[in-house]
Amino acid sequence: CLAIARSNYAATKLTAAFRGRDVQKIYVALAHGKPQQKSGELSAPLAKHGQRMAVDKDGDIAISHYRVLGY
């Protein structure tokens, strides 16, 4: 599901909801290989580099929880 604001008011509210952690982002991905653990947590400092996010020692800590759904 992709949320798109259709007005400045909606954009302000949507941005506030993400900043306040009132919404939860869930990503589903296909990956090559087989993780050693079926679930876990990854954390790294991330910073915006142009249009992309990248690991950067001066960035903000991002924490991701993962769970393998199948092989």
Side-chain angles (χ1 to χ4, degrees):
C1 175
L2 177 64
I4 300 173
R6 295 183 62 195
S7 68
N8 286 339
Y9 176 78
T12 301
K13 290 296 189 180
L14 190 57
T15 299
F18 278 102
R19 282 199 179 124
R21 306 277 191 223
D22 296 326
V23 293
Q24 181 181 12
K25 297 178 207 173
I26 298 174
Y27 300 92
V28 178
L30 296 175
H32 178 72
K34 190 172 182 178
Q36 293 180 359
Q37 298 177 333
K38 290 191 174 194
S39 64
E41 178 182 291
L42 303 171
S43 64
L46 298 180
K48 196 165 190 176
H49 290 259
Q51 293 287 330
R52 296 178 166 229
M53 298 298 286
V55 174
D56 184 325
K57 64 180 174 61
D58 296 323
D60 295 325
I61 292 293
I63 300 171
S64 296
H65 301 272
Y66 71 90
R67 178 172 48 109
V68 177
L69 301 177
Y71 297 108

